[in-house]
Structures are given as structure tokens and as C-alpha cells.
Amino acid sequence: MNLITITDLNRTELEPFTTLSEKQLYHYYEPDLGVFLAESPNVIERALDAGHEPLSLLVEKKMLEGQAADLIRKCGDIPIYTGEDALLSQVKGFQLTRGIQCLMRRKNLPTVEEVCTGAKRIVVLENVMNPTNVGAIFRSAAALNMDAVLLTAGCSDPLQKRALRVSVGNVFQIPWAYLPTENWMEHLKQAGFTTIAMALCDDSIAIDDPRIKAADRVAVIMGTEGDGLAHSTIAACDHTVKIPMSHNVDSLNVAAASAVAFWALSHT
């Protein structure tokens, strides 16, 4: 092991773990692709299995021969920074990581066409900006038989630390890509998807409607927190679906609504 014991956090090589913002990590190797931080053994293992290159590790000493040992062997001869729990707990958010973080390179994303090839059920996120919601939607999509996730440019980055943590690494379990900024609905139409807007509209249909059951390919489109989908997006969709509510509740959080919709679609 390329083991480096640290007694303070004021080292340049530790800046990705200690001081750099998500934006700075994203642009770390600009103009080349940047980096991201994978936290916790499950997330790191799934990132490695998905082919992401590890660059360095920050690990509690007590984990070197414990839960992190197999991961360390998978990472090869990269720097492994280690220290006592009391020191590493000073790193913002480290206590939520189960004692290990890995700095990793981003990979080129597949194209929309590559992601959609062979996909029957996909989710499209329009400007979902909360990383917690993005992570939860990815987790539900992977668990409930969705084939891919497409995002508009206004969405939170799925490789943000919080999104990764909430998804429990399921961002690496399901294909995803960013849609073009203009006319992205046309890509779905040309690929033969029946488009379903999740929205609070009076002319909505049930998600188990025969027209949805009969569709060969379905794209369920979900909007940003608060405002929901753009009116132009709703108008361009083939159908609008609303989840029935009781007790005068007007709507579900987008992440909760996604789980309901994905489960229903997986049983059509």
C-alpha cells in the first residue's frame, strides 16, 4: 500500500477532500473531465465496478484492515491518506461516509441515443435541482426496473457527493445522459417513446391506463421542485398522469412521486 499517515489536514494533496467545492472538483482538470468524491464502501465499490479511475483515498486508520481492505486492494497503488478518527472527523461530512472517501476521475457520458438503445422504460428529469431528490430518484429508478435516466442541463449533477450518498451508488447502476438544451422532446419522439408528464392537471389519466399499458416504450417526465414541469413540456407530452391524493394533500415530493410512478410502470 502507498500509505501516507497524516497528522494535519493542511496539505495541498488533501484539498479535494477538505476545501474544494463541487464546482472546483468538476473543473479540476479543465479542459479535460474533472473529478468527484465517492463516499462510503458501497458507493466506492459501485464506482470502481462502473470503471471509474481512483486517484487517492482518505481512510480512517481503523478501517485499513477492516471493511476498507478489499476496496484498497481494488484501487491499486494510489496514495492512501490515513489518520485518526478525531482528525478526519474535522473534514466536512466525513462522519457520514463510514470512514472512507475516494477521489475519482469522471468518465465521458454516453450519448442520449446510446442510453436509449434497447430501453423500454426511462425517466426524464427536467431541472430537478435538489441533489437529494436526484439521488433518491436514481435509487428508485434502479430498484424499480427503469432502464435509463435522462437529465436536462438544469438538473443537479448526479455525481455530487450528496446525490451519490443518497443514491447509495445506484447512479453507477443505471445508464444516464444529459439531453440537449433545445428540442430535447424531439429526441424522445423520434426514438418512439410515449411521453408521460407527471403533473397536477385536471385532464390527467391513470398511470395504469390501457394506453400506457399498450405503449412499447415509455418516458415518464418529472419536473423541478415547487414549479413542476414547464407548461410547454406538459403540452408536448402524449399523456399527463397525476397520482391520486387524499386528506387534501396536493402532491408528493418529486422523489416520492418517482417511486410510485416507477413501481406502477414496472407492473404495466
Side-chain angles (χ1 to χ4, degrees), residues 126-182:
E126 182 183 65
N127 301 334
V128 178
M129 295 175 282
N130 187 317
T132 297
N133 286 334
V134 170
I137 291 168
F138 265 91
R139 186 174 185 178
S140 293
L144 297 170
N145 297 312
M146 301 301 284
D147 296 316
V149 179
L150 298 177
L151 306 96
T152 65
C155 286
S156 179
D157 178 12
L159 297 184
Q160 275 196 29
K161 287 189 292 184
R162 188 163 185 82
L164 279 176
R165 189 186 307 140
V166 173
S167 81
V168 199
N170 282 296
V171 165
F172 305 113
Q173 304 289 90
I174 186 167
W176 59 278
Y178 280 105
L179 288 158
T181 54
E182 296 181 1

Side-chain angles (χ1 to χ4, degrees), residues 105-260:
R105 276 190 183 271
R106 290 174 178 265
K107 297 195 307 179
N108 285 310
L109 289 174
T111 65
V112 172
E113 289 73 18
E114 288 170 338
V115 164
C116 289
T117 297
K120 296 294 186 180
R121 298 287 186 268
I122 68 170
V123 55
V124 178
L125 303 184
E126 182 183 65
N127 301 334
V128 178
M129 295 175 282
N130 187 317
T132 297
N133 286 334
V134 170
I137 291 168
F138 265 91
R139 186 174 185 178
S140 293
L144 297 170
N145 297 312
M146 301 301 284
D147 296 316
V149 179
L150 298 177
L151 306 96
T152 65
C155 286
S156 179
D157 178 12
L159 297 184
Q160 275 196 29
K161 287 189 292 184
R162 188 163 185 82
L164 279 176
R165 189 186 307 140
V166 173
S167 81
V168 199
N170 282 296
V171 165
F172 305 113
Q173 304 289 90
I174 186 167
W176 59 278
Y178 280 105
L179 288 158
T181 54
E182 296 181 1
N183 300 321
W184 55 264
M185 185 70 74
E186 288 304 311
H187 286 260
L188 304 178
K189 301 284 190 181
Q190 290 172 9
F193 284 99
T194 296
T195 51
I196 300 171
M198 299 295 297
L200 301 174
C201 296
D202 293 333
D203 60 348
S204 61
I205 64 174
I207 201 160
D208 61 352
D209 186 281
R211 287 168 288 183
I212 296 176
K213 287 186 175 183
D216 181 51
R217 311 183 84 189
V218 173
V220 56
I221 305 173
M222 314 197 76
T224 186
E225 303 83 353
D227 293 337
L229 290 172
H231 293 301
S232 58
T233 299
I234 297 172
C237 284
D238 297 309
H239 305 291
T240 303
V241 166
K242 180 170 66 175
I243 297 171
M245 300 285 121
S246 62
H247 295 95
N248 294 318
V249 176
D250 60 353
S251 65
L252 293 174
N253 164 275
V254 65
S258 74
V260 174

